[in-house]
Amino acid sequence: MSAEQSQRMMSMCESARVHVDELLVVLAKSKMLNILYILNCDTKPLRFSEIKRRVNSSSTTVTRRLGELEKHDLVTRTVFPTVPTTVEYSLTKAGIALQPSLESLFDWVLDFADESQN
Amino acid sequence: MSAEQSQRMMSMCESARVHVDELLVVLAKSKMLNILYILNCDTKPLRFSEIKRRVNSSSTTVTRRLGELEKHDLVTRTVFPTVPTTVEYSLTKAGIALQPSLESLFDWVLDFADESQN
DNA sequence: CCGCATCCCTACGGATACTG
DNA sequence: CAGTATCCGTAGGGATGCGG
């Protein structure tokens, strides 16, 4: 662990972690990691229905999560003036910066899921 | 992204993600990432009260989270026959394997928190 | 197709009080 | 100290139905 990181950890472990905690709460919401994950799977933008299908959740929840992600500038929402409407979601720069973390995390989850087939 | 990972991602994105989903649900519970995080901060085991103090949560919740972590073999619970009782928690092998992912994730969270001081 | 409003209903977190 | 048991309030997810 780097010195810089340790230092930031110290300050974070102990106090003034408001922003960090808030972000963790957001990331911890139901289906949130799933959505970020599938947006990572494909490099190209995904449609609403496609996301909904893949995370296997209600449209209400998917809408909520995508709204929160957009609010926190993690995804971009693009509306196409087709009939009926087409909407595509893609990761922002900040969202893309999450990729290594998520890859690493899901690698672990997959490995762990492999091992613990109890 | 490696070919192997892509392949596992494909199968995971589409179907049979029961275990993975379950793990995600566990990881997404309140204070869960926080607890894993502080267990990562120190290399040495932590006492219950110390964990509780750092995550700033009720003993009920801390107990629940630690129980779930233990159930999923991510932490080890060690009881010392002192009076009053002393209990220490430490990461298991699987828990330690999570370290890189968490470090990466929290790095991102910290960076992101730095940027978005709105 | 996308997605919001509404209602319902459960699961989850916190407070409190109590044990070994 | 390290929990457990209980109660309770609420946040949050799902179903349904509608609108752009």
Side-chain angles (χ1 to χ4, degrees):
Chain A
M1 191 177 298
S2 72
E4 181 203 0
Q5 192 185 21
S6 295
Q7 200 166 355
R8 289 198 300 177
M9 275 191 175
M10 289 303 281
S11 62
M12 175 179 156
C13 277
E14 298 305 336
S15 63
R17 304 154 310 168
V18 199
H19 273 81
V20 177
D21 278 352
E22 189 196 330
L23 275 172
L24 280 184
V25 169
V26 172
L27 288 180
K29 296 214 176 193
S30 132
K31 304 294 179 178
M32 191 57 99
L33 293 177
N34 300 67
I35 291 176
L36 285 171
Y37 177 66
I38 68 163
L39 283 174
N40 262 312
C41 279
D42 279 274
T43 44
K44 63 170 193 286
L46 291 178
R47 316 245 319 247
F48 178 83
S49 49
E50 177 71 6
I51 296 173
K52 170 171 162 25
R53 191 182 64 79
R54 291 214 207 169
V55 299
N56 188 35
S57 188
S58 67
S59 68
T60 315
T61 296
V62 176
T63 300
R64 284 194 273 240
R65 290 300 97 81
L66 287 172
E68 289 153 6
L69 286 174
E70 193 191 3
K71 179 181 165 191
H72 286 270
D73 288 319
L74 293 177
V75 302
T76 308
R77 182 172 178 272
T78 312
V79 183
F80 294 93
T82 54
V83 171
T85 320
T86 302
V87 182
E88 284 186 354
Y89 292 90
S90 59
L91 294 176
T92 63
K93 202 170 176 180
I96 293 173
L98 234 186
Q99 266 193 358
S101 312
L102 287 184
E103 271 182 36
S104 178
L105 179 62
F106 278 88
D107 262 352
W108 175 84
V109 173
L110 289 166
D111 284 336
F112 189 66
D114 284 348
E115 286 175 21
S116 64
Q117 293 290 347
N118 46 5
Chain B
M1 188 179 299
S2 71
E4 180 204 0
Q5 192 184 23
S6 296
Q7 198 165 356
R8 289 198 299 177
M9 275 190 175
M10 289 304 281
S11 61
M12 175 180 155
C13 277
E14 297 304 339
S15 63
R17 304 155 310 166
V18 198
H19 272 80
V20 177
D21 279 353
E22 188 195 330
L23 276 172
L24 280 184
V25 169
V26 172
L27 289 179
K29 296 214 177 193
S30 131
K31 305 293 180 179
M32 190 57 98
L33 292 178
N34 296 267
I35 291 177
L36 285 171
Y37 177 67
I38 67 162
L39 283 175
N40 261 312
C41 280
D42 280 275
T43 44
K44 63 169 193 284
L46 291 178
R47 315 242 322 245
F48 178 83
S49 49
E50 177 70 6
I51 296 173
K52 170 170 162 27
R53 190 183 63 80
R54 291 215 207 167
V55 299
N56 188 33
S57 187
S58 67
S59 67
T60 316
T61 297
V62 176
T63 300
R64 283 194 275 242
R65 288 302 96 82
L66 287 172
E68 289 153 6
L69 286 174
E70 193 191 3
K71 180 180 164 190
H72 286 270
D73 288 319
L74 292 178
V75 302
T76 307
R77 182 172 177 272
T78 311
V79 183
F80 294 93
T82 55
V83 171
T85 321
T86 302
V87 181
E88 284 187 353
Y89 292 90
S90 58
L91 294 177
T92 63
K93 204 170 175 180
I96 293 173
L98 234 185
Q99 266 193 358
S101 312
L102 286 184
E103 270 183 36
S104 178
L105 179 63
F106 279 88
D107 262 352
W108 175 85
V109 173
L110 288 167
D111 283 336
F112 189 67
D114 283 347
E115 285 175 22
S116 63
Q117 293 291 346
N118 46 4

